[in-house]
Amino acid sequence: IGGGGEGKTCTINALAGRVFEEQPSTISGIASSFEVQQTWMHAQRGGGVPFETHIRPKEGMRAEALVQHVAAVHAGAPTATDTWLSTPPPSAAPATTTKATAAATSHKADTSCCTSDGGNATGQSASAVNLALAAHNTTAAHTVTYISENSRAAPLHVPAPERRRTAPRVQAVEEIDPARVMEFVRSGKTSTLVLRILDTAGQEVFNELRSLFYADGCTVFMVIFALPRLADLLEQSASLTKLKGHLNAVSAHVSGTPPVLLVGTARDSVSAAQLMELSDLLERELGHIPAFGGLCRPKAGSKLCFMAVENTRGFSDDHGVRELAMEIAAAVEVLPSVSKRVPLSWLRVHDELERRQQPPKISRSTAFATAATLHFDEVREIAAQCGLPHEGFTLEKEVEQVLSFFHSLGALLWFNEPTLRETVVLDLQWLLDAMGCIIRDFNIHKRPGDGEAQRVAKSSWLRLAQSGRLRLDLLPHLWSESRFRAQREALLLMMVRCSLAVPLRGALQEMLVPPLLRLLASPPQPAAAAVHRTHLCTLQFVLQSDARRKQLLWSDSQLPFGYLPSDTFNTFCAALISWSYHTNLSYEPSLECGHLLVAFGTRRLQLEHREEQPSIAVYLVEDSSRLPVIERLRLLLDGVLRRWPQLTCLMLVPLPGFNGVLVDYSQVEEIGTGQAVTVHDRDLT
């Protein structure tokens, strides 16, 4: 995470051993996989780290999980049984067997941003595998026998539902090469840690895209900043504001204190004394933010609170980059997801889904086209071939659990909702690219279909570029590439589901795109004639960890302290505009920088928000009933905040007769009979 030009892509390139690029450009984001390789070295005098950590691009598919398990069995090492993620239903009786059984290793489960992966548990193979399994009998509850001494268990026949016009193409799962098993047995190879790294675009218009891939309990956040900008007194304030925003965004999306790495780039541009001063500055300015509590500090005797790297030197010539690689690996290892045990058959399903994204090998007899998405029925066929369901589950229900689990890790995207459940997104880069066709600065970021869109649908193009309103006739031009054509409807539904597009006038013919509002909001106009307005309430946004959210009375002096992401404000504005059209088609809402005018039926509302302030002032234009408006605001806020699970909004209403005193509306309902309420020594009980 980081602002534009801070060195995010250069840092990843340096970690991967790539050649330095002066100004690499990232549009919407880059999702890629890397392998962590640790090379053991001779310990030097005086101690030191006994190994060196390398991060290299992941090439192709690595069928590791089952290979490692079989190799361990062959060597007589203890292995874990095929356990359940959750307690099986009462109807699932303990299953025991005397046959060879497939046992789940301690899986390093997929995680997002910086994530770990136990490799590929891919199917059965020839006699060498079966002989190795036969050498190790396992008798335990809830084991699954999908590898036998004779042959592969027959896949379940799953009839295609009537709604599907054509049945999914059945493709055999990949088999394990016995030679690879013996390679592991002879060489004593260890498991490979795989990182899924999301290199996010720095422009604020892409903030909403970044948050889609935050996985609670499965993510390491690497916040990158440029040391010269932080050291420059003219840019220092802006740099600190960005860092606070990034850390607060982590706190708003993820519970607890996830691992956070602060990385300062361009180390050679500042002196050693400046590094210490900047470290002290960050401690003072960022220490109060909850996410700062998860900070992973440098281990090698450094007193800095951040890692300092010089990307121009590359991995081999910069000790900061090499140390950062070690810290990333260490941070990933402590994630809760890494120690999660899952059935080996679940890993096989995951690996087969990953294989569908890989270019087919010429020699492979079961070649298939690469796929960014799969239909739910196709995933169900794959699951059946991989040995699902377990006893006590139907195939449909267990596939739902598998997809929900890997969705929670950020390994794929799947929503168990009627309009979206049939689409499983395997390639997150494909999704980022699709969203980036619409969510972008049209003056900077150009796409292949832009020219045709401006010629064929000029009015719709101008409406999107100038007011952030998306008409459906523009989609064939924005998503003109062949990889998007078949999934246009699903992509649009995903944007609506993730609040990246808000339908207007109660139909899907026109959408408001909240991320574009920040770019497109017109500057404030000269003040018109004064209108009578009444202060209805102040919406104060704070994190769930903020102890003040339980207090009844507030003062104006407390309002500057809290957190309101700009993308939350934009999404809330879009929801208000949509509701305004729904209740009053004759009224045209207006949006200026931090000022919004909307109508709730016959009532007109004015909202004011100052940049970098965590509150929104809401006014009623002319006197009218307050209660219906307050209740509607509460409902709209509930829908908006579902994307920020650790963020809450307090509705503070003015206390009549007391200037600058506000009351939490939700707390008023909880005041008990006879409970004393005192303001300025005045008893209001």
Side-chain angles (χ1 to χ4, degrees), residues 84 88 253 412 478 497 529 556:
W84 298 84
H253 285 91
L412 52 81
L478 295 174
R497 167 60 176 77
D556 287 342

Side-chain angles (χ1 to χ4, degrees), residues 175-196:
E175 296 186 351
I176 291 294
D177 181 0
R180 298 201 55 208
V181 177
M182 302 316 298
E183 177 188 357
F184 267 73
V185 172
R186 289 192 301 267
S187 65
K189 283 187 176 181
T190 59
S191 61
T192 301
L193 188 67
V194 176
L195 310 180
R196 296 184 184 273

Side-chain angles (χ1 to χ4, degrees), residues 163-241:
R163 67 178 182 275
R164 188 169 171 79
R165 295 182 179 179
T166 58
R169 180 175 49 182
V170 178
Q171 300 164 347
V173 298
E174 188 178 45
E175 296 186 351
I176 291 294
D177 181 0
R180 298 201 55 208
V181 177
M182 302 316 298
E183 177 188 357
F184 267 73
V185 172
R186 289 192 301 267
S187 65
K189 283 187 176 181
T190 59
S191 61
T192 301
L193 188 67
V194 176
L195 310 180
R196 296 184 184 273
I197 299 181
L198 177 63
D199 176 11
T200 64
Q203 292 79 10
E204 292 188 358
V205 69
F206 298 119
N207 283 355
E208 283 90 335
L209 294 182
R210 180 189 308 136
S211 63
L212 291 178
F213 303 98
Y214 290 168
D216 202 342
C218 313
T219 309
V220 174
F221 294 90
M222 187 161 64
V223 182
I224 297 180
F225 62 96
L227 287 168
R229 293 182 182 178
L230 187 62
D232 189 332
L233 294 180
L234 296 178
E235 297 188 68
Q236 189 174 91
S237 177
S239 183
L240 286 172
T241 298

Side-chain angles (χ1 to χ4, degrees), residues 360-489:
K361 298 178 181 178
I362 297 177
S363 60
R364 182 180 292 166
S365 59
T366 58
F368 48 84
T370 58
T373 65
L374 284 181
H375 194 280
F376 182 87
D377 296 341
E378 294 175 287
V379 178
R380 188 167 55 179
E381 291 284 359
I382 292 171
Q385 294 183 67
C386 293
L388 271 62
H390 289 79
E391 185 176 354
F393 286 88
T394 63
L395 182 60
E396 181 97 2
K397 289 299 182 184
E398 188 163 3
V399 170
E400 290 176 358
Q401 288 195 20
V402 171
L403 291 176
S404 296
F405 174 68
F406 287 114
H407 171 93
S408 71
L409 300 181
L412 52 81
L413 197 70
W414 180 71
F415 298 105
N416 191 9
E417 299 176 3
T419 58
L420 289 171
R421 73 185 312 272
E422 293 186 349
T423 303
V424 181
V425 179
L426 307 179
D427 187 352
L428 301 184
Q429 184 64 59
W430 172 86
L431 183 64
L432 277 173
D433 293 344
M435 301 301 180
C437 292
I438 297 174
I439 302 173
R440 53 182 165 127
D441 188 333
F442 293 93
N443 295 320
I444 300 176
H445 307 123
K446 305 299 182 182
R447 292 287 183 174
D450 289 358
E452 181 183 359
Q454 294 178 56
R455 290 192 306 270
V456 179
K458 183 178 180 179
S459 62
S460 296
W461 171 268
L462 292 176
R463 196 160 178 81
L464 177 64
Q466 296 177 2
S467 61
R469 302 197 179 192
L470 174 65
R471 290 177 176 172
L472 298 195
D473 64 336
L474 200 56
L475 292 180
H477 307 289
L478 295 174
W479 288 328
S480 60
E481 297 179 58
S482 58
R483 54 181 176 150
F484 302 136
R485 289 173 191 163
Q487 296 293 341
R488 288 171 186 162
E489 182 180 354

Side-chain angles (χ1 to χ4, degrees), residues 108-321:
K108 296 177 178 177
D110 280 332
T111 57
S112 60
C113 190
C114 289
T115 66
S116 58
D117 179 279
N120 288 282
T122 62
Q124 310 80 311
S125 71
S127 57
V129 177
N130 293 329
L131 287 174
L133 281 172
H136 179 77
N137 274 347
T138 304
T139 302
H142 314 312
T143 59
V144 180
T145 306
Y146 67 83
I147 302 180
S148 64
E149 293 87 340
N150 299 319
S151 62
R152 178 184 307 163
L156 298 181
H157 172 69
V158 182
E162 295 181 358
R163 67 178 182 275
R164 188 169 171 79
R165 295 182 179 179
T166 58
R169 180 175 49 182
V170 178
Q171 300 164 347
V173 298
E174 188 178 45
E175 296 186 351
I176 291 294
D177 181 0
R180 298 201 55 208
V181 177
M182 302 316 298
E183 177 188 357
F184 267 73
V185 172
R186 289 192 301 267
S187 65
K189 283 187 176 181
T190 59
S191 61
T192 301
L193 188 67
V194 176
L195 310 180
R196 296 184 184 273
I197 299 181
L198 177 63
D199 176 11
T200 64
Q203 292 79 10
E204 292 188 358
V205 69
F206 298 119
N207 283 355
E208 283 90 335
L209 294 182
R210 180 189 308 136
S211 63
L212 291 178
F213 303 98
Y214 290 168
D216 202 342
C218 313
T219 309
V220 174
F221 294 90
M222 187 161 64
V223 182
I224 297 180
F225 62 96
L227 287 168
R229 293 182 182 178
L230 187 62
D232 189 332
L233 294 180
L234 296 178
E235 297 188 68
Q236 189 174 91
S237 177
S239 183
L240 286 172
T241 298
K242 290 181 180 179
L243 287 172
K244 291 175 183 177
H246 295 321
L247 291 177
N248 274 321
V250 172
S251 299
H253 285 91
V254 182
S255 62
T257 52
V260 173
L261 290 164
L262 278 178
V263 181
T265 60
R267 187 194 63 242
D268 289 354
S269 301
V270 296
S271 65
Q274 283 180 304
L275 288 177
M276 284 303 305
E277 292 174 0
L278 295 179
S279 179
D280 293 340
L281 175 67
L282 294 179
E283 294 272 11
R284 293 193 306 270
E285 296 292 331
L286 308 180
H288 67 281
I289 301 174
F292 197 80
L295 188 65
C296 301
R297 299 172 181 269
K299 301 293 193 303
S302 173
K303 296 181 180 179
L304 303 179
C305 67
F306 59 87
M307 311 287 297
V309 300
E310 181 53 63
N311 293 324
T312 59
R313 297 177 180 272
F315 183 90
S316 58
D317 295 330
D318 187 74
H319 71 277
V321 175

Side-chain angles (χ1 to χ4, degrees), residues 544-556:
Q544 292 280 5
S545 57
D546 194 324
R548 299 175 304 160
R549 66 188 186 90
K550 293 297 185 182
Q551 71 184 44
L552 173 65
L553 300 174
W554 286 66
S555 65
D556 287 342

